[in-house]
Amino acid sequence: MNTAPASSAAAGEPRWLTDEEQRVWRAYVDATTLLEDHLDRQLQRDAGMPHVYYGLLVKLTEAPHRRLRMTELAKDAKITRSRLSHAVARLERNGWVRREDCPSDKRGQFAVLTDEGMEVLRRHAPGHVNAVRQAVFDRLTPEQQKSLGEIMGIVAEGLQPCEAGADLPWLR
């Protein structure tokens, strides 16, 4: 709620969003919430997995030998190590991922995409790409797509501190 003009941010008063900033913020929140729900429902219906699990499988396809340390996978997926552990346990039960111990670190583990997991991705990627395309890219001009990518890159970069002790999900 905008209760004060932006210029009145004196003496500890919050710098309230302008009406236009509030409109943009709410549009962003609505769009990201609806998009995540849309993609989650599509993947649950077609592949029997939530969007975050699909993203984990995709990240493993992009890794050398389809394997990543669990800590790296959590970092790449922007999720807590605890949430990753639960997700990988379910993916293991489905036969799509297996864990391997890290030979150089007794506490470390790798997540490895199995052939069955790769096949699940091959089968369901076309439907997922179609859902993404219909929800986002088909609605935007090439210029809008470029702007969206630049804007989201700036926001993401600003939210990923590099200093030690940063409060980031994959460190929890």
Side-chain angles (χ1 to χ4, degrees):
M1 166 181 265
N2 183 358
T3 60
S7 61
S8 71
E13 180 71 20
R15 204 174 122 220
W16 298 105
L17 299 179
T18 66
D19 289 343
E20 180 60 12
E21 289 169 335
Q22 190 69 255
R23 184 194 66 74
V24 169
W25 175 246
R26 287 181 181 173
Y28 167 81
V29 170
D30 289 350
T32 56
T33 301
L34 290 166
L35 180 60
E36 187 59 33
D37 177 67
H38 174 73
L39 297 176
D40 214 45
R41 283 184 289 118
Q42 178 269 320
L43 284 164
Q44 286 285 7
R45 180 188 66 238
D46 296 349
M49 74 176 99
H51 189 220
V52 70
Y53 290 14
Y54 182 87
L56 294 172
L57 296 179
V58 168
K59 289 186 184 310
L60 289 172
T61 68
E62 297 167 346
H65 309 290
R66 300 187 324 206
R67 67 198 306 258
L68 273 175
R69 291 219 23 177
M70 293 283 283
T71 52
E72 279 302 304
L73 186 54
K75 178 182 173 188
D76 289 352
K78 313 278 187 280
I79 61 175
T80 65
R81 290 179 285 192
S82 173
R83 184 173 183 199
L84 175 66
S85 184
H86 289 292
V88 169
R90 178 163 169 217
L91 293 169
E92 280 183 299
R93 283 193 300 275
N94 291 342
W96 301 342
V97 169
R98 72 174 181 275
R99 292 184 213 218
E100 293 178 354
D101 291 332
C102 179
S104 63
D105 177 0
K106 300 236 186 261
R107 296 183 320 170
Q109 284 192 318
F110 288 95
V112 182
L113 182 67
T114 65
D115 290 342
E116 187 178 343
M118 189 68 185
E119 181 55 33
V120 165
L121 279 176
R122 276 193 202 102
R123 243 186 355 260
H124 297 291
H128 181 64
V129 169
N130 187 49
V132 170
R133 184 165 295 290
Q134 287 178 342
V136 179
F137 294 100
D138 290 349
R139 298 170 187 271
L140 302 175
T141 66
E143 295 80 21
Q144 289 170 323
Q145 292 174 26
K146 182 179 180 203
S147 293
L148 179 63
E150 290 170 353
I151 291 164
M152 292 295 97
I154 291 166
V155 171
E157 184 180 314
L159 293 172
Q160 297 183 85
C162 297
E163 67 271 1
D167 184 25
L168 298 170
W170 51 91
L171 299 176
R172 290 184 221 131

